[in-house]
Amino acid sequence: MTDDHKMGRGGGGDDDGSDENKLIAERRLKLADLRAQGPAFPNDFRRDALAGQLQDSFGERDAAWLEANPTPVKVGGRIMFKRLMGRASFAKIADRTGQIQLYLQQETLGAAYEAFKGFDVGDIIGASGVLFRTKTGELSIWVEKLAFLAKALLPLPEKWHGLTDIELRYRQRYLDLIANEESRRVFVTRARIIKELRKAFEARGYVEVETPMMHPIAGGATARPFVTHHNTLDIDLYLRIAPELYLKRLTVGGLDRVYEINRNFRNEGISTQHNPEFTMLEFYEAYSNYRDLMDFNEELFAGLAKSIAGSTLVKYGEIELDFGRFERLTMREAITKHWPAEAGPAPTPAELAAPGGPRGATERYNAWAKRTGAPYAVSKGTLTDGEWTGLLFETVAEDKLIQPTFLYDFPTEISPLSKQKPQDPSLTERFELYIAGMEIANGFSELNDPAEQERRFLAQIARGGDEMPKQLDVDYIRALCHGLPPTAGEGIGIDRLTMVLTNSQSVRDVILFPLLRPEAQGGAAAAGKSE
C-alpha cells in the first residue's frame, strides 16, 4: 500500500498537508475494512434513474401525489453532502444530470445504516427506494437498500462547492467537473454544438469523413508544424496543420460535399484564444463560391444560436451578440473603418490598393503608435503589399470586429490556396468570420488551376521560414490535374465557437484537457499512484 504522504495534496488543510494526510490515512483504513468484508469495488449495481430526470419528471408532484403513487427508483452517484442525525440521516448524491437527496433511516436499513456512517463525501454509492417529499418540500428518495460502490481516497478540495483555483481546474478537470456545475454545462453544450453542426451538414447532403492526422508533407495552412518520426519507414511525419489538401482530394474523387470534425495541431503559442491542439470543422462544397458560403454561414450560425441559446441574441461578457445580423467588410474597408482618429486621416481603400499604399499607411500608424503606446505593427522581414495589408488589419481592426462580421477580399500573397478575383488578381475570393474580436471561420473559393497552385506553392517554399512548407506536394498537384470542380471550402474553429456560445472567456474553459506547462514534481504529481 502506498505511504500516506505519497498521496499528495488535494485541497484544504494546513500548509504542510498534515491534516489532509490524516484524512487520507483514515480513508485508507476504511478501504482496508471494506476489503476485509468482500469486494471493495463491486460492479453489480445497476441504476434505473438519473437525478435530473427525476427532478424533471416529479419536480412538480406534491407529497400527497407521491404517497398515493409509490415510485421505486435506483440511483447511483457521488456523495456531495452528508448529515448524520442519530437514527436518521440525509445525503445528496450527484450524477451527470444533477443531484438528488437521500433519506436514510436506521430502522429501514439496519446494518447498512451503520456502514453509511463511515462513508465519506466523495464516495460512490447506489441507493434503492421510493420517491417522497420532505417536510421542507424537497424531492427525495426514502432509501430501502444501500450499496457501496467505490472509495474516494483523496478528499475533495475544501472549496469543492465552487472550485475557483484556475490552474487546478485545468490540471485536474475531474475535480472541476465534480465541483462546478457550470463547467459540466459548458462541456455538455459543446457536445450539443457539434451534434447540431452534424445535423446541419447531414441535411445538406454532406458526407462525414476522416483523413490522416500524420502527413508526410506539412501543408494546408501557414503554421509551424509538430514533427514526429515513423521508425519502420524511417521518415519524418508532421501532425496535421489542417485537413484541407486531403479533403479536396476527395472532392476531386467525386465526394463533392464532404466534411470532417477532428483535431489540428500547430506548434505555436498558448493564450486565451490559442491551444496547440484544437478542434476544427472543415468542409468543401463543389459548384459553390465564397459568397455562397457566407450566405450559408449566416443561416448556419443563426440556427445554431437559436438551438443552443434559444435566441439569435447571445450574451458574451458585457456585450450582446446578434447572430441575426452579419456585417460584410473587405479587408481594406475594415482598416479604413477602424482607423484610430488620433492617428490622422484614415487611408482609403483606394490608397491601400495602390502600390506601396499599405506600407505607407502602416508607417503612419506606427509613428502614432510609438508616441502613444498603442499596439505596434511589427513586420517580419521584407513584406509584399498584400502582407503589409494583412499586418495592418491585424493591428488596427481585428479586435474591433465584435458583432458577427465577414471580412473578405484578402490579398493574394496571404491566401495561397484561394482563387483570385477575375477583375483584380491582387485579391482572392476569401473571407474570415469574426465574432467578439476572434476569427471563428476561414473560407474561400478554392484555387483549382494546377499550374497556378504549383506556382504559389513554389513561391511559399522559396520564401522560407518555419511556418512555410518545405517541399512541393506533388500528389496534390497531380490530383488537381485530374480536375477539381469549382469548389468553396471553409474551416470553423469549434473551440472558439463554443467559447462564444457558452460565454467562456478562455479557450481553456472549453477544452477538457488544455495543454499546460509540466506540473512541479512532488505533491500532487504523486497523488495518482496506485497501491
Side-chain angles (χ1 to χ4, degrees):
M1 190 176 288
T2 306
D3 293 339
D4 296 334
H5 74 277
K6 290 183 180 179
M7 289 302 300
R9 303 293 301 277
D14 296 337
D15 290 342
D16 62 2
S18 58
D19 285 355
E20 184 168 333
N21 286 335
K22 181 180 178 181
L23 291 174
I24 294 169
E26 291 173 353
R27 292 185 178 218
R28 287 190 167 277
L29 289 174
K30 291 178 182 179
L31 177 58
D33 289 341
L34 288 168
R35 292 189 191 281
Q37 298 170 33
F41 294 88
N43 190 21
D44 56 358
F45 179 85
R46 299 295 178 265
R47 62 188 180 186
D48 61 16
L50 295 171
Q53 294 171 354
L54 293 176
Q55 300 288 0
D56 291 341
S57 299
F58 300 96
E60 302 300 320
R61 300 294 188 181
D62 60 21
W65 189 95
L66 292 171
E67 185 175 357
N69 299 272
T71 305
V73 296
K74 296 176 69 176
V75 296
R78 184 182 302 276
I79 300 175
M80 302 301 291
F81 168 82
K82 175 185 171 188
R83 185 174 66 187
L84 297 177
M85 301 171 58
R87 299 175 64 85
S89 299
F90 288 95
K92 285 189 177 181
I93 64 170
D95 59 30
R96 70 175 187 270
T97 64
Q99 296 189 14
I100 189 74
Q101 180 168 269
L102 307 181
Y103 175 71
L104 306 101
Q105 196 177 52
Q106 186 178 49
E107 182 180 350
T108 304
L109 294 172
Y113 184 79
E114 293 303 314
F116 169 76
K117 292 180 180 179
F119 294 177
D120 293 303
V121 170
D123 289 349
I124 310 295
I125 64 173
S128 305
V130 294
L131 292 175
F132 80 109
R133 200 167 288 280
T134 65
K135 292 180 180 180
T136 60
E138 183 166 356
L139 183 67
S140 305
I141 299 173
W142 193 305
V143 179
E144 298 172 343
K145 292 184 179 180
L146 192 65
F148 187 87
L149 303 178
K151 187 69 187 170
L153 293 173
L154 289 176
L156 294 174
E158 185 178 3
K159 300 297 184 182
W160 61 266
H161 53 278
L163 185 62
T164 57
D165 185 319
I166 297 298
E167 183 165 336
L168 185 63
R169 288 178 58 199
Y170 297 152
R171 289 193 185 280
Q172 300 180 39
R173 183 66 82 183
Y174 40 87
L175 289 183
D176 180 36
L177 295 173
I178 291 171
N180 294 325
E181 184 177 347
E182 176 60 22
S183 182
R184 294 197 301 275
R185 184 192 68 81
V186 165
F187 290 105
V188 170
T189 301
R190 179 188 173 111
R192 286 180 56 210
I193 290 169
I194 294 173
K195 181 179 179 180
E196 290 296 325
L197 288 169
R198 280 197 166 99
K199 187 187 301 183
F201 280 89
E202 294 296 327
R204 287 175 67 91
Y206 276 77
V207 175
E208 183 174 8
V209 298
E210 292 178 301
T211 60
M213 305 295 275
M214 295 189 296
H215 294 181
I217 299 173
T222 302
R224 182 182 293 113
F226 287 94
V227 185
T228 186
H229 188 79
H230 191 283
N231 292 331
T232 301
L233 297 179
D234 193 23
I235 58 171
D236 284 340
L237 295 169
Y238 304 90
L239 295 185
R240 77 173 182 196
I241 299 171
E244 177 167 345
L245 301 185
Y246 283 93
L247 290 173
K248 286 193 284 193
R249 284 173 167 93
L250 298 180
T251 308
V252 170
L255 297 179
D256 57 12
R257 289 197 175 192
V258 62
Y259 78 101
E260 180 173 10
I261 300 176
N262 221 320
R263 299 288 188 154
N264 290 350
F265 305 86
R266 298 182 184 179
N267 195 355
E268 297 171 345
I270 299 175
S271 72
T272 57
Q273 296 182 19
H274 297 87
N275 192 65
E277 178 183 5
F278 61 98
T279 303
M280 181 76 76
L281 182 159
E282 192 148 329
F283 63 96
Y284 292 86
E285 182 175 306
Y287 308 101
S288 297
N289 64 24
Y290 76 132
R291 292 191 179 275
D292 296 320
L293 289 196
M294 284 192 276
D295 293 340
F296 171 47
N297 273 242
E298 292 193 14
E299 174 188 333
L300 177 68
F301 281 88
L304 193 59
K306 290 177 184 177
S307 297
I308 300 301
S311 169
T312 56
L313 300 178
V314 176
K315 185 74 172 177
Y316 185 71
E318 299 301 316
I319 59 178
E320 187 175 68
L321 301 170
D322 188 353
F323 282 84
R325 299 178 59 188
F326 287 74
E327 186 174 11
R328 297 190 184 190
L329 294 170
T330 69
M331 182 175 282
R332 293 165 181 166
E333 288 171 345
I335 294 170
T336 297
K337 178 176 180 178
H338 295 287
W339 185 267
E342 303 84 356
T348 65
E351 179 185 343
L352 293 171
R359 176 171 182 172
T362 306
E363 291 171 347
R364 279 163 41 203
Y365 171 85
N366 279 344
W368 168 77
K370 282 184 177 180
R371 296 194 304 270
T372 63
Y376 189 75
V378 181
S379 64
K380 299 177 181 179
T382 303
L383 302 184
T384 65
D385 279 354
E387 290 169 329
W388 278 113
T389 301
L391 176 62
L392 187 58
F393 162 75
E394 291 172 358
T395 308
V396 170
E398 185 173 39
D399 62 354
K400 308 297 191 303
L401 305 182
I402 304 302
Q403 292 299 326
T405 303
F406 291 110
L407 184 81
Y408 68 101
D409 286 2
F410 280 60
T412 299
E413 295 95 330
I414 59 174
S415 308
L417 295 164
S418 307
K419 185 184 288 291
Q420 290 170 297
K421 293 175 68 72
Q423 65 275 28
D424 185 355
S426 71
L427 299 176
T428 59
E429 296 184 351
R430 175 184 172 189
F431 71 88
E432 288 181 346
L433 174 60
Y434 282 84
I435 304 173
M438 297 184 291
E439 178 199 338
I440 302 295
N442 178 24
F444 38 82
S445 302
E446 302 298 331
L447 177 59
N448 58 347
D449 178 341
E452 174 63 13
Q453 184 65 84
E454 182 175 2
R455 185 193 69 78
R456 291 201 214 170
F457 276 166
L458 291 174
Q460 277 190 308
I461 294 169
R463 197 171 303 155
D466 292 340
E467 298 181 349
M468 296 297 177
K470 303 296 186 293
Q471 63 186 106
L472 180 66
D473 191 336
V474 175
D475 182 69
Y476 179 68
I477 300 299
R478 179 165 53 218
L480 290 185
C481 288
H482 284 284
L484 173 67
T487 298
E490 180 180 347
I492 298 175
I494 298 297
D495 305 317
R496 292 183 184 176
L497 176 59
T498 303
M499 286 175 61
V500 170
L501 292 178
T502 61
N503 196 11
S504 301
Q505 304 304 308
S506 171
V507 73
R508 295 183 183 186
D509 291 328
V510 301
I511 296 175
L512 280 168
F513 299 101
L515 185 65
L516 302 168
R517 291 185 183 277
E519 188 175 10
Q521 295 300 307
K529 291 184 178 179
S530 60
E531 298 176 69

